[in-house]
Amino acid sequence: MNETPLDCALRAIANAVPDTADNSQRIVAAKCGALMVGYDAAFGRIDYTPLSAEQFVETPLINPDTNQRSRTFTVAGRLDVTCLYHGRTVLIDHKTTSSAINEPDHPFWRQLAIEGQVSHYMLLEWLSGRKVDEAVWDVVRKPMISPRKISKAERAHAVANRTWFGQALSGETLDALQTCESETLEMYSARLAHDCAKERPQWYFQRRTVPRLDSEIIEYARELWEHGQEILHVRNTNRHVRNSGACMLYGSPCKFLGICSGYDTPDSDNWQVKAQVHNELPELNCDGRSVLTNSRIRCFQTCRRKHYYEYELGISRIDEEEREALFFGTIWHHALAAWWEHYLNTRSHDNGNCDQGSPAERAGKYGSHSEAVIAE
């Protein structure tokens, strides 16, 4: 039997869970598996023709007003998916959130309206000669449902029918039901998958087109150039201003708070220098300090001292534990990558349908200059 995209995604989740995973990590994996069932039900029949998945792109940093090319910085990123849809080239960017997404006026969508990530990726494609027609936010809301206790009646019903929320139960789970009073991971995943696919798919999954005019992409290019100049200024003056308002973002302390507050130092045994400062871009053939990514720009905007430790010194804590949110993001990323790559590998597509002019015409020249001028 041929594998389906869902089969590939679920296998990717299983492979991403280490043998040493604790129960909380296995619950996260169960959440991702259930979400993937719902995601496949919601979007598996949409007629996208994938062109690329997990594509690494790196280009020169260009000043859009002078067409000057930076001597110091390049721009890079990893594009989740590009595809054809009704004759248009579409960039799909994945997001996960704990916020409400099922209404268009929720604050989450208002914030995304000014989010720079899509502009960053659309600019990368433009500079690489592959101009994108539009972008789509592909947003998944993290489940709030946890494994729950089950009554004797529910347990008896599950054993008699050998199913739980429409899913056949394994012999291992049926054996466990003889004594357990709570859902097994298999039962929890089945209940959550039913909620995702049947009961409340709109609560968990939303896709919204992201309007970006060419003028907005060019404006983002200006901002990116200015950020590069600011980073150079901070680097040259060695003045990395702290932002105390960012020390406890998302309810947890910044990993560099001990250094900033004087309880630790960057050269202590608690820290090590990373070989490459962009963990998400292993394809870079340098240490990454000359590369601007969306994550780096957001870090610089948040706190320049944090940017210094993360991207200039390039240090990481030796005993840093992987937080649940990061573990969820990693597992979900593997699942979506496998799902989309199945379509990329099995669906035929014709790149000739996406004629957007010659490479020279699409090379990202913003003005009338025929050549880029090297600048700082």
Side-chain angles (χ1 to χ4, degrees), residues 21-309:
D22 58 26
N23 188 60
S24 64
Q25 291 174 315
R26 296 188 185 279
I27 290 175
V28 168
K31 286 182 180 181
C32 290
L35 278 173
M36 204 65 238
V37 171
Y39 186 90
D40 183 74
F43 301 126
R45 293 177 178 81
I46 295 179
D47 190 23
Y48 285 115
T49 303
L51 302 174
S52 68
E54 296 294 308
Q55 180 184 16
F56 167 75
V57 182
E58 184 178 11
T59 71
L61 174 64
I62 303 293
N63 184 331
D65 295 318
T66 65
N67 216 37
Q68 293 179 325
R69 174 176 172 174
S70 174
R71 292 178 182 174
T72 306
F73 293 114
T74 61
V75 188
R78 185 182 306 284
L79 280 60
D80 289 332
V81 180
T82 55
C83 58
L84 290 178
Y85 183 63
H86 292 173
R88 297 175 64 79
T89 305
V90 179
L91 169 69
I92 298 179
D93 193 65
H94 305 313
K95 285 283 187 185
T96 60
T97 181
S98 298
S99 302
I101 60 174
N102 53 313
E103 296 294 340
D105 60 346
H106 281 151
F108 177 82
W109 295 112
R110 296 178 184 178
Q111 189 275 326
L112 279 190
I114 59 172
E115 167 65 51
Q117 188 168 6
V118 157
S119 297
H120 188 92
Y121 293 159
M122 293 180 78
L123 175 64
L124 278 173
E125 286 291 85
W126 193 348
L127 290 171
S128 301
R130 299 180 296 270
K131 196 166 185 293
V132 174
D133 293 311
E134 62 188 39
V136 171
W137 287 121
D138 182 44
V139 182
V140 173
R141 185 176 182 182
K142 298 177 184 178
M144 307 300 290
I145 295 175
S146 299
R148 66 170 174 82
K149 288 189 175 183
I150 55 177
S151 67
K152 290 182 179 180
E154 287 177 321
R155 185 165 65 242
H157 186 271
V159 171
N161 292 277
R162 306 178 70 87
T163 62
W164 188 249
F165 283 86
Q167 180 176 307
L169 296 176
S170 67
E172 183 180 358
T173 290
L174 291 171
D175 289 341
L177 281 173
Q178 301 302 319
T179 56
C180 70
E181 297 180 352
S182 299
E183 289 178 313
T184 66
L185 284 180
E186 183 182 34
M187 295 173 71
Y188 164 64
S189 183
R191 180 166 59 90
L192 180 55
H194 180 82
D195 194 40
C196 292
K198 303 292 186 182
E199 295 293 331
R200 299 186 296 165
Q202 298 300 316
W203 195 90
Y204 292 101
F205 311 109
Q206 292 286 335
R207 281 182 178 171
R208 301 281 172 85
T209 300
V210 184
R212 287 290 189 273
L213 302 174
D214 285 357
S215 59
E216 293 176 300
I217 304 301
I218 293 174
E219 181 60 28
Y220 176 79
R222 290 192 181 99
E223 293 176 358
L224 190 61
W225 179 269
E226 289 301 322
H227 285 312
Q229 297 302 299
E230 290 172 1
I231 291 173
L232 279 178
H233 175 73
V234 168
R235 181 184 291 177
N236 292 334
T237 59
N238 198 30
R239 294 183 59 84
H240 309 280
V241 179
R242 291 177 291 187
N243 174 17
S244 60
C247 296
M248 293 294 294
L249 283 179
Y250 311 113
S252 52
C254 171
K255 60 184 176 182
F256 302 114
L257 181 57
I259 297 177
C260 287
S261 59
Y263 287 89
D264 200 355
T265 61
D267 56 358
S268 75
D269 292 338
N270 295 322
W271 302 89
Q272 61 186 353
V273 177
K274 296 182 286 187
Q276 204 265 86
V277 299
H278 302 280
N279 296 329
E280 74 280 14
L281 299 177
E283 299 91 340
L284 289 172
N285 58 4
C286 62
D287 62 17
R289 288 169 174 79
S290 62
V291 178
L292 301 183
T293 64
N294 179 70
S295 297
R296 180 175 186 171
I297 296 302
R298 290 194 68 175
C299 181
F300 185 74
Q301 292 172 323
T302 300
C303 178
R304 298 187 178 191
R305 184 70 61 90
K306 180 178 181 179
H307 172 269
Y308 171 67
Y309 293 136

Side-chain angles (χ1 to χ4, degrees), residues 293-330:
T293 64
N294 179 70
S295 297
R296 180 175 186 171
I297 296 302
R298 290 194 68 175
C299 181
F300 185 74
Q301 292 172 323
T302 300
C303 178
R304 298 187 178 191
R305 184 70 61 90
K306 180 178 181 179
H307 172 269
Y308 171 67
Y309 293 136
E310 189 79 65
Y311 294 101
E312 297 286 281
L313 283 186
I315 58 174
S316 63
R317 193 170 180 87
I318 293 175
D319 61 350
E320 185 174 3
E321 295 182 359
E322 187 171 41
R323 293 181 298 170
E324 181 176 315
L326 181 59
F327 185 71
F328 178 96
T330 300

